[in-house]
Amino acid sequence: MHKIQFPENFLWGGATSAYQCEGAWKEDGKGFAVTDLLTAGSREIPREFTPVEKDCYYPAATAIDHYHHYKEDIALFAEMGFKVYRMSISWVRIFPNGDDEVPNPAGLAFYHKIFQECKKYDIEPLVTISHHDVPLALALKQDGWLSRKTIPAFVTYCKTIFKEYQDEVKYWITFNEINMMTNYFGDIYTGGILSNGTRYLDIAHASEESLSADKMTKRFTALHHQFIASALAVQVGHDINPDFQIGSMVAGDAHYPYSCNPVNVIEAQQSMNRLWYCGDVMVRGEYSYASRHYLKGKGVDIEALGITEEDKCILKKGTIDFLAFSYYTSGCHAVDEHHETTAGNFSLGVANPYLKKSDWGWVFDPQGLRWMLNELYGRYHIPVFIAENGLGAIDEVSEDGKVHDPYRIQYLNEHVSAMRDALEDGVDLLGYTWWGPIDLVSASTGEMKKRYGFIYVDMDDQGKGSLKRIRKDSFYHYQKIIQTNGSCIE
Ligand code: BG6
């Protein structure tokens, strides 16, 4: 029995990203992002980047056409009672080439319309400034985030949107899951692999062990440039509007030892450094011993990242106001014996025998959310925000025309209960945005059938469907949770 209630102003809502939901990839002056060119299924980027002519299906082209359905979608979010809508601005809608002299007025106008719609329903927007989608032009011209030249381009983009939307948006996240840069998605999300025409999969799906020290150094250099860009954005944003709350985000998967064998305990502890590496730089404003230790373990010499004295000052001055994180799953570490491994967007080690798995093999671990909240808040003592959590599952429309998804309801209940446990523990938790409150394109597989939504979208993996929206059973359940401010969950 819980003694504590969710705070009155708790931000309940949902999260999406531009390239996974907007579609309209060539409309109103939008440029291309690297993520627009990810094919369905294998998520390759064709060697020739000519999306228009290619006989190839790109899920980002239409996605769920939120660009034209935003009014209907936001009305459905409002019907569930959302207090917050986490969405991302597409950099290339604002600056089609990433570093244009002037912003694209149609791009700016689109997000005004989104924010006006949110305002109509008292929904607070939470804006991710960069959710994977590096401008293709910058990737081709200068290897994306591998180049320092991408930093001023990003800061100009930030300044532009901060000024433009300062009266409409208070909460910002500079980068989505910034620690993903350290794994196989890193190359695509930094845009660093394109200018030499190398196929994404050739490098990005290589195991970390098989990557050369040079390649690893490049990943971490690109990440360093993002840290600097994020810190500068925090400073610029606070100058423009001191009331802005500017955070950044990490993927917060839990790492446990598989057994109490101390070698496994140490391995699990070391694995958490992937998260602390980024958290420490952004919250504490410096490369801590954990960051240095992590780099060393990857065979990267910190001196090779080109960190200047000026960079160090920027990091110190640009620490974030809150730390957002995604939480989906957990994994175990066993170096003493061999076990079946578990799935996720990170390599999470060994599967936990106590936990069930999703259709995509991601284990559910609600208690791990409480664990993670305590870890993050205990280490950093700044407010935390669950920016993503959700269940990707295969949903069917029943003969009655409805979608019955008791598995999602159960997943939601258990995670809400874990949040409440963490509140009782004393964690300062600002809010919770369910990933994909409406079905959207999966980041890792490009599928539509990996559905997270409370709202079903009639669209399949080949881009066919009426795009009709259907409220699933979980829609009404989340509505009840929000209506009762979580108290309907024990
Ligand atoms: C997070 C990303 O890693 O996980 C989202 O921020 C992504 O963009 C989500 O969609 C779920 O992953 P997937 O691969 O199931 O879509």
Side-chain angles (χ1 to χ4, degrees):
M1 185 74 177
H2 288 99
K3 291 182 211 85
I4 246 182
Q5 300 299 325
F6 281 89
E8 270 305 297
N9 54 356
F10 190 76
L11 293 167
W12 296 98
T16 64
S17 85
Y19 80 97
Q20 292 174 267
C21 75
E22 282 180 6
W25 72 340
K26 288 191 279 173
E27 275 183 54
D28 296 334
K30 176 182 165 293
F32 282 109
V34 172
T35 39
D36 287 334
L37 306 189
L38 288 169
T39 56
S42 60
R43 304 306 260 163
E44 294 180 51
I45 289 187
R47 214 174 266 280
E48 288 148 39
F49 317 114
T50 49
V52 189
E53 289 80 19
K54 279 272 159 193
D55 181 21
C56 186
Y57 173 56
Y58 297 93
T62 312
I64 56 160
D65 199 26
H66 180 64
Y67 194 76
H68 297 110
H69 289 73
Y70 70 93
K71 283 195 178 179
E72 179 186 355
D73 295 343
I74 295 172
L76 286 165
F77 299 159
E79 196 180 321
M80 276 187 275
F82 278 22
K83 312 283 181 213
V84 63
Y85 173 33
R86 175 182 172 226
M87 39 70 68
S88 76
I89 290 183
S90 159
W91 184 346
V92 288
R93 274 199 200 283
I94 309 297
F95 291 102
N97 295 293
D99 59 355
D100 310 68
E101 289 286 312
V102 289
N104 168 25
L108 292 172
F110 172 65
Y111 294 105
H112 273 304
K113 287 193 270 179
I114 294 267
F115 301 141
Q116 277 159 19
E117 214 57 26
C118 287
K119 192 161 183 214
K120 195 159 126 190
Y121 301 108
D122 272 336
I123 297 174
E124 185 85 50
L126 163 59
V127 174
T128 314
I129 301 173
S130 176
H131 194 121
H132 303 160
D133 48 358
V134 187
L136 179 62
L138 294 186
L140 295 173
K141 185 164 81 173
Q142 60 200 35
D143 290 323
W145 284 103
L146 273 186
S147 166
R148 272 198 181 251
K149 285 190 265 177
T150 299
I151 301 174
F154 180 80
V155 173
T156 302
Y157 159 51
C158 290
K159 255 188 210 163
T160 307
I161 58 175
F162 286 153
K163 280 192 186 147
E164 187 76 24
Y165 306 122
Q166 59 175 307
D167 299 327
E168 292 164 302
V169 179
K170 177 178 171 194
Y171 293 98
W172 304 87
I173 290 174
T174 53
F175 286 91
N176 180 66
E177 292 186 340
I178 197 164
N179 55 336
M180 286 292 260
M181 298 312 143
T182 63
N183 86 341
Y184 64 86
F185 278 117
D187 300 298
I188 196 72
Y189 297 161
T190 53
I193 46 120
L194 287 170
S195 61
N196 62 359
T198 309
R199 258 187 130 150
Y200 158 52
L201 283 189
D202 294 347
I203 292 180
H205 280 186
S207 69
E208 291 196 2
E209 291 69 34
S210 68
L211 288 178
S212 63
D214 175 54
K215 180 70 196 148
M216 277 314 243
T217 303
K218 281 185 173 156
R219 275 189 183 172
F220 284 94
T221 305
L223 180 54
H224 175 65
H225 295 158
Q226 293 191 330
F227 287 150
I228 298 298
S230 175
L232 285 169
V234 171
Q235 292 175 55
V236 164
H238 285 155
D239 286 348
I240 291 172
N241 186 344
D243 291 337
F244 278 172
Q245 288 293 302
I246 310 176
S248 188
M249 183 186 160
V250 288
D253 305 306
H255 294 259
Y256 306 141
Y258 188 74
S259 70
C260 55
N261 185 339
V263 292
N264 295 338
V265 176
I266 296 284
E267 188 63 21
Q269 186 185 44
Q270 302 288 315
S271 289
M272 287 299 291
N273 282 339
R274 176 158 59 199
L275 196 162
W276 306 140
Y277 177 82
C278 296
D280 286 6
V281 175
M282 298 188 299
V283 181
R284 295 174 170 167
E286 62 186 21
Y287 281 87
S288 64
Y289 88 91
S291 322
R292 289 168 179 272
H293 182 61
Y294 184 64
L295 280 175
K296 209 166 142 201
K298 297 282 167 207
V300 176
D301 178 2
I302 193 164
E303 300 301 325
L305 303 188
I307 303 170
T308 65
E309 287 308 310
E310 193 190 348
D311 287 353
K312 290 181 189 164
C313 290
I314 292 170
L315 292 178
K316 269 285 171 218
K317 284 194 197 148
T319 55
I320 51 180
D321 299 322
F322 67 94
L323 182 62
F325 70 104
S326 59
Y327 178 79
Y328 291 94
T329 187
S330 65
C332 300
H333 293 270
V335 287
D336 55 342
E337 47 188 315
H338 181 73
H339 297 274
E340 180 206 350
T341 54
T342 193
N345 278 349
F346 262 138
S347 146
L348 282 164
V350 172
N352 188 325
Y354 295 96
L355 301 173
K356 290 199 191 104
K357 290 179 187 165
S358 77
D359 297 332
W360 275 261
W362 295 21
V363 298
F364 316 151
D365 181 9
Q367 300 221 42
L369 177 57
R370 176 183 184 181
W371 184 89
M372 181 53 64
L373 282 161
N374 275 282
E375 285 288 306
L376 289 171
Y377 186 63
R379 188 176 180 103
Y380 295 127
H381 301 280
I382 62 168
V384 288
F385 195 109
I386 303 168
E388 287 182 32
N389 170 240
L391 172 64
I394 295 173
D395 295 325
E396 305 287 348
V397 182
S398 307
E399 281 179 7
D400 59 6
K402 297 183 176 163
V403 180
H404 304 296
D405 55 346
Y407 35 88
R408 189 168 288 108
I409 290 173
Q410 187 183 347
Y411 180 102
L412 175 62
N413 286 350
E414 289 174 1
H415 285 80
V416 171
S417 181
M419 279 198 280
R420 204 146 154 212
D421 287 335
L423 287 173
E424 272 177 9
D425 296 336
V427 171
D428 184 359
L429 176 60
L430 292 175
Y432 175 77
T433 47
W434 174 270
W435 175 254
I438 181 162
D439 294 344
L440 35 63
V441 175
S442 158
S444 59
T445 69
E447 291 165 314
M448 274 303 300
K449 74 165 186 276
K450 190 176 187 188
R451 296 176 182 276
Y452 284 86
F454 301 130
I455 302 161
Y456 183 92
V457 178
D458 178 25
M459 185 70 158
D460 69 14
D461 290 346
Q462 283 73 46
K464 296 197 174 55
S466 65
L467 290 170
K468 184 179 167 204
R469 276 67 170 147
I470 302 171
R471 296 165 184 80
K472 301 181 194 175
D473 288 355
S474 55
F475 178 99
Y476 301 102
H477 190 73
Y478 196 40
Q479 186 182 52
K480 187 167 156 211
I481 290 179
I482 300 177
Q483 255 168 18
T484 61
N485 198 23
S487 63
C488 64
I489 305 298
E490 272 318 309

